[in-house]
Amino acid sequence: MTAPDSAPNSVRPHGAGVAVLSDIHAVLPALEAVLAEPDVRAADRIVLTGDLLAGPLPRQTLARLRALGDRAVWISGNADREMAAARPGNEPADPMDAWAAGQLGPDELEFLGSLPATVTLKVAGLGPVLFCHATPRNDTEVALVDSRPERWAEVLAGVPDAVRTVVCGHTHMPFVRFTHGRLVVNPGSVGMPYGRPGAHWALLGPGGGAVTLRHTAFDHDAACARIARESDSPSAAAWADTYVRARYSAEEALAAFGPGDGRNTAPGTDG
């Protein structure tokens, strides 16, 4: 379990809005489309909630994210952690993730390994907001929009009382849910959306603490062609055709992720 960062300098006031980009998965055309959005350009912080480079254009995506400078707040995802730990015989299980890790140099992998599991920022109208990848205590734990209340009680148990908003990613499906006195926000995925093509992200803060789920459409045909042309991965074209075009529905994704939240072992269920 990773404890939320509660150091005084981890909480900083931001009044002009915070854009949240999660699960970019090295899909540079999707990232560029989101960064061109006026509200993202105007945001004083861009929080990157993990799984940033595990995909077809890792070096190019890292360079673009680093160009954001101090505006970017980086958080580690499970894919980032696994890439950072990659060694011969200890590669990530996903073939694309393993390939992407091999495209990065030692300093870049060390940078990925240094990213924090959680960050807390003070956002106008929302107060302290905890940002993480999957849940505040684990970067692979599954909690979904339809997870039972008992599950949410488990994953939020270690969050400080002062934090009333938690922002997570990992499952690539956008939602906002109020549970156990806290607002939970998942911005969805920039690079690997389920349900419809386009990049999903979130905007926090403007308008008196508003939380807005956003969707940026872009030319996914051109994006797939660019990825096939610019990526050295032998599976880049097929990968982009599947994930950039969002060939998996949200319902299929919920069915796949659902058992991971323990719902099938809850009282009153079979299994």
Side-chain angles (χ1 to χ4, degrees):
M1 174 177 174
T2 302
D5 185 353
S6 58
N9 62 2
S10 70
V11 180
R12 298 183 292 272
H14 298 296
V18 174
V20 187
L21 281 56
S22 191
D23 296 276
I24 297 167
H25 281 281
V27 179
L28 184 59
L31 172 63
E32 290 175 342
V34 172
L35 293 179
E37 288 276 12
D39 285 336
V40 177
R41 293 167 63 92
D44 56 3
R45 287 293 186 271
I46 299 174
V47 181
L48 310 169
T49 53
D51 282 12
L52 308 174
L53 305 181
L57 296 170
R59 296 187 309 275
Q60 301 93 320
T61 301
L62 177 59
R64 185 65 186 86
L65 291 174
R66 281 181 158 171
L68 295 172
D70 292 342
R71 294 178 67 213
V73 178
W74 300 70
I75 295 168
S76 176
N78 59 293
D80 307 306
R81 171 177 51 80
E82 292 165 5
M83 288 173 63
R87 302 290 185 275
N90 185 39
E91 295 87 358
D94 185 280
M96 179 58 81
D97 296 7
W99 174 85
Q103 304 305 299
L104 302 180
D107 290 347
E108 294 165 327
L109 292 173
E110 183 179 359
F111 171 72
L112 278 188
S114 73
L115 298 181
T118 67
V119 170
T120 301
L121 298 175
K122 191 172 183 181
V123 178
L126 295 172
V129 177
L130 187 148
F131 298 86
C132 59
H133 179 60
T135 73
R137 64 181 188 173
N138 189 294
D139 65 10
T140 60
E141 197 166 42
V142 173
L144 301 164
V145 66
D146 64 343
S147 292
R148 65 198 191 283
E150 293 81 3
R151 176 62 164 182
W152 282 108
E154 294 168 359
V155 303
L156 297 174
V159 177
D161 289 342
V163 173
R164 310 316 297 174
T165 303
V166 174
V167 180
C168 56
H170 186 53
T171 57
H172 298 206
M173 289 172 285
F175 67 81
V176 177
R177 174 169 174 169
F178 188 73
T179 181
H180 299 288
R182 289 187 169 96
L183 196 66
V184 180
V185 181
N186 189 318
S189 173
V190 170
M192 291 178 66
Y194 297 136
R196 62 175 173 176
H200 293 268
W201 53 285
L203 187 67
L204 312 181
V211 174
T212 309
L213 298 178
R214 301 289 294 270
H215 174 261
T216 298
F218 60 92
D219 187 338
H220 48 273
D221 291 329
C224 287
R226 179 182 172 187
I227 288 169
R229 183 175 64 251
E230 296 183 5
S231 176
D232 295 328
S233 168
S235 62
W239 189 96
D241 183 71
T242 297
Y243 294 111
V244 177
R245 296 184 192 276
R247 298 209 182 268
Y248 291 109
S249 70
E251 291 72 28
E252 288 172 316
L254 282 171
F257 279 113
D261 73 358
R263 64 185 60 193
N264 291 338
T265 59
T269 64
D270 296 327

